[in-house]
Amino acid sequence: MTCIAGLVHEGQVYLGADSAAISGWDLTVRSDTKLFQNGAFIGGFTSSFRMGQLLAHAWKPPKASDDNTMRYLVGPVMASLRKVFKAGGYKGESGEEGGTFLLGYAGALYTISSDFQVGVSADPYAAVGCGGPVACGSLHATASLGLGPQERLRLALEAAERHSAGVRGPFVYLTLPEGQGLQDRHNEDSP
């Protein structure tokens, strides 16, 4: 139960997240965030706080070998995530699945599914978690209003909180600056 919303605006990736941890009817508002930055990547996770901890603290993003971002994400990045999840004790129900999360990299936003599929929306926004559809509706509705990206994310998260029992503030935000990741891909000293 979650809402992670993201959008791309003028070459920058913006993410927002709620703070709910839900188990059955129990709710804990967590102070550890569902958003992370790891090298040239930012992300926001659903599914499991353990998965998010591995993404933020145990995963070492591999170096890219060429300029084909999709090949890099689908190949080396997803292979490295599968390994870190397995080594970290997070294997999903089938023993070979991940979770769902948004990943910002090199000015683009990707949705990673539990089967390690790398999704790219035709829209410059995406949202995941139980509040995701409501957040996407809000992001669509605010696209032409001239609002800043963080304001649009705030409205999307507030709408999700209003209409989904699994979403709760406070809301947190993270931004990946324009071009972040592009120069890092060819820096031999980067992780």
Side-chain angles (χ1 to χ4, degrees), residues 5 11 18 40 43 53 57 59 71 78 118 126 134 145 163 184 190:
D18 78 318
Q53 291 165 349
H57 305 293
W59 177 47
R71 182 171 35 236
M78 291 306 113
V118 178
V134 174
L145 298 181
H163 296 285
D184 294 339
S190 66

Side-chain angles (χ1 to χ4, degrees), residues 49 112 129 135:
F49 273 86
I112 311 303

Side-chain angles (χ1 to χ4, degrees), residues 26-83:
D26 297 327
L27 163 71
T28 301
V29 175
R30 302 270 301 240
S31 63
D32 50 333
T33 178
K34 297 175 189 177
L35 300 180
F36 64 91
Q37 180 161 5
N38 189 332
F41 293 88
I42 62 170
F45 61 89
T46 68
S47 308
S48 163
F49 273 86
R50 176 63 179 158
M51 180 191 74
Q53 291 165 349
L54 293 170
L55 286 166
H57 305 293
W59 177 47
K60 303 289 187 234
K63 291 184 177 92
S65 60
D66 64 33
D67 289 334
N68 186 318
T69 300
M70 192 58 128
R71 182 171 35 236
Y72 169 59
L73 293 173
V74 169
V77 170
M78 291 306 113
S80 69
L81 287 173
R82 289 175 67 199
K83 287 178 186 174

Side-chain angles (χ1 to χ4, degrees), residues 47 51 81-82 85 90-101 113-116:
S47 308
M51 180 191 74
L81 287 173
R82 289 175 67 199
F85 288 169
Y90 180 76
K91 299 183 239 175
E93 292 178 16
S94 73
E96 187 54 39
E97 65 184 49
T100 304
F101 56 98
S113 299
S114 62
D115 64 354
F116 299 98

Side-chain angles (χ1 to χ4, degrees), residues 163-188:
H163 296 285
S164 176
V167 179
R168 184 69 54 93
F171 305 128
V172 295
Y173 305 91
L174 187 60
T175 303
L176 182 65
E178 181 178 4
Q180 181 74 35
L182 294 174
Q183 64 268 80
D184 294 339
R185 292 187 336 197
H186 300 290
N187 181 348
E188 293 303 316

Side-chain angles (χ1 to χ4, degrees), residues 1-17:
M1 302 293 182
T2 284
C3 187
I4 307 296
L7 61 88
V8 178
H9 178 78
E10 296 179 357
Q12 291 185 296
V13 179
Y14 297 81
L15 295 178

